Amino acid sequence: MKILVTGGAGYIGSHTCVELLNENHEVVVLDNLSNSSEESLTRVKKITGKSLEFYKADLLNKKQVDAVFLEHKIDAVIHFAGLKAVGESVSIPLKYFHNNITGTLNLLCAMNEANVKNIIFSSSATVYGDPLSLPIKEDFPLSATNPYGRTKLMIEEILQDLYRSDKNWNIALLRYFNPVGAHKSGEIGEDPFGIPNNLVPYISKVAVGFLPRLNVFGNDYNTPDGTGVRDFIHVVDLALGHIRTLPKLFTNPGIVIYNLGTGTGFSVLEMIKGFETASGKKIPYKIADRRPGDIAACWADPAKAKDELGWEAKKTLDDMCKDTWNWQNKNPNGYR
Ligand code: NAD
Ligand code: UFG
């Protein structure tokens, strides 16, 4: 199949391109490189020994999006492109609404015009807000606590409306828990610009000596060790979740929703310990105030994806830490 991957140069997108090429799909990437580097795609080609087509294009420019559909007969779209920094979305919400919502509308209109009606959308566990109980199932109530999360919820609703209006659409909403890790080759990985917001990239910058210590945001949560608990999932498992979802789209399922998580939560302190073991580096940390907007704990019930897609996460916390460290150690400055 020929798959258009928006945001394919980014963290999850690049890992998904590797798995798509490994499965002999043809890959077309559309990315404006606003949060990524074309080098990631060079590395994807190196890992797989296969080629892909790259368009440096912006979803906000409808003509650029149309051009891709004119030049290629696309079978399905995997839509990763979007801005994702929660804190930044609070200070510049209009940029987030414009980029994520308008960008998605341009993509959907272009798809509609080209009669391409199969799409996988990158949603997030953030749409569950602060869950009433754990583990989280797909039918739990939804809410948003910040503009980034609201863009995910709004896009899910737009896609639901689109399907209601035209039953020829096949749409998978994949709600990711906390993606971490890197390809085992160490060629591709997460490469945040500036100081990382998320836990694992921050720990790995401490391990490589670029940051002096980690701030642990709160140790007074109602969790076993008082620190936040999350469902960390290896990015390669996550990428494979997309590969398993693709055939589902071609059974005309309508709109389907899956949690992509491991089903197990680890705390911030457990993650620090795991990283220390995997890297052999000490991670200095200090306990800081809670980060506004954070929840105590979050993990998935991934049973639906296992039952309906035959997918489950296989990699361990040790794999996540070892592979992150291998990438960071081989590429201290990321792709630069
Ligand atoms: P990323 O920033 O590494 O990748 C996103 C890519 O989209 C980047 O390469 C960026 O340049 C591109 N992009 C952004 N706006 C664009 C536009 N207007 N036109 C074209 N390209 C554009 O992020 P990621 O971690 O790979 O996340 C991929 C998707 O998964 C995002 O939609 C994100 O919201 C979602 N998600 C991520 C996480 C996470 O923790 N990483 C969790 C849940 C959901
Ligand atoms: N944390 C620290 N110190 C840091 C960074 C994080 O202690 O420097 C803690 C947080 O307080 C939280 C845990 O580590 O308890 C995980 O935080 P992350 O920022 O890594 O991840 P979040 O769960 O807050 O959010 C991430 C993405 C969201 C996405 C969500 C679910 O940033 O966009 O996972 O997929 F919605």
Side-chain angles (χ1 to χ4, degrees):
M1 280 188 288
K2 195 179 249 194
I3 312 296
L4 172 63
V5 185
T6 76
Y11 173 46
I12 306 170
S14 56
H15 288 81
T16 304
C17 287
V18 167
E19 301 308 328
L20 286 168
L21 291 169
N22 284 344
E23 294 273 317
N24 296 318
H25 292 296
E26 288 179 77
V27 175
V28 179
V29 168
L30 180 159
D31 199 303
N32 66 0
L33 304 180
S34 60
N35 195 40
S36 54
S37 147
E38 198 176 339
E39 176 63 18
S40 66
L41 297 174
T42 305
R43 307 272 183 101
V44 166
K45 293 179 209 160
K46 184 173 167 194
I47 293 169
T48 59
K50 292 183 179 162
S51 68
L52 54 75
E53 282 238 26
F54 174 54
Y55 288 79
K56 184 173 184 302
D58 197 321
L59 287 181
L60 294 176
N61 183 329
K62 172 81 166 35
K63 285 205 176 94
Q64 290 182 354
V65 184
D66 287 338
V68 178
F69 287 96
L70 281 176
E71 286 166 34
H72 298 274
K73 200 185 160 314
I74 301 292
D75 295 298
V77 175
I78 307 183
H79 177 32
F80 293 107
L83 297 173
K84 63 163 183 177
V86 172
E88 189 182 65
S89 81
V90 175
S91 32
I92 40 174
L94 294 180
K95 183 171 176 190
Y96 273 67
F97 288 120
H98 186 45
N99 190 75
N100 293 5
I101 307 286
T102 313
T104 300
L105 289 175
N106 281 342
L107 173 68
L108 295 173
C109 289
M111 288 176 70
N112 207 28
E113 285 153 22
N115 202 27
V116 177
K117 297 187 175 178
N118 300 308
I119 184 168
I120 297 177
F121 171 61
S122 299
S123 189
S124 164
T126 195
V127 299
Y128 296 114
D130 195 351
L132 292 173
S133 65
L134 293 164
I136 298 173
K137 289 182 190 295
E138 286 83 353
D139 60 1
F140 272 29
L142 305 179
S143 66
T145 50
N146 56 65
Y148 164 72
R150 217 170 321 280
T151 68
K152 293 292 170 195
L153 259 187
M154 289 167 85
I155 294 168
E156 284 202 5
E157 286 171 355
I158 288 167
L159 289 166
Q160 300 267 11
D161 282 340
L162 184 58
Y163 173 66
R164 264 179 228 121
S165 76
D166 177 356
K167 299 286 189 288
N168 291 313
W169 280 86
N170 293 296
I171 299 167
L173 310 178
L174 300 184
R175 295 180 181 152
Y176 312 155
F177 282 68
N178 288 58
V180 298
H183 191 265
K184 64 176 177 340
S185 63
E187 293 286 345
I188 56 173
E190 187 166 12
D191 182 23
F193 292 149
I195 295 179
N197 299 304
N198 297 115
L199 179 65
V200 172
Y202 202 108
I203 291 178
S204 87
K205 294 276 182 224
V206 173
V208 81
F210 287 175
L211 293 168
R213 80 185 64 77
L214 172 76
N215 292 308
V216 173
F217 297 140
N219 67 347
D220 56 355
Y221 284 107
N222 184 18
T223 59
D225 65 22
T227 65
V229 169
R230 295 291 184 276
D231 186 338
F232 297 99
I233 173 170
H234 196 293
V235 65
V236 172
D237 277 332
L238 189 65
L240 289 169
H242 296 73
I243 306 300
R244 300 288 160 265
T245 305
L246 272 177
K248 179 81 181 174
L249 288 183
F250 293 89
T251 63
N252 296 323
I255 192 150
V256 287
I257 305 176
Y258 299 106
N259 284 339
L260 296 187
T262 65
T264 304
F266 287 103
S267 73
V268 174
L269 294 183
E270 285 175 313
M271 191 46 107
I272 295 173
K273 207 154 184 268
F275 205 92
E276 287 184 336
T277 308
S279 66
K281 300 273 176 188
K282 188 91 198 118
I283 308 295
Y285 69 87
K286 77 168 196 311
I287 305 297
D289 290 343
R290 288 183 179 194
R291 185 171 64 178
D294 271 356
I295 57 174
C298 170
W299 66 87
D301 180 341
K304 190 171 176 231
K306 187 176 179 190
D307 291 348
E308 296 185 15
L309 305 175
W311 171 89
E312 68 182 316
K314 298 250 165 69
K315 292 186 183 276
T316 63
L317 188 75
D318 191 48
D319 297 327
M320 300 179 207
C321 294
K322 275 197 177 126
D323 292 341
T324 303
W325 175 240
N326 184 38
W327 150 254
Q328 182 70 72
N329 197 28
K330 272 191 171 169
N331 307 270
N333 294 305
Y335 293 115
R336 288 164 288 269

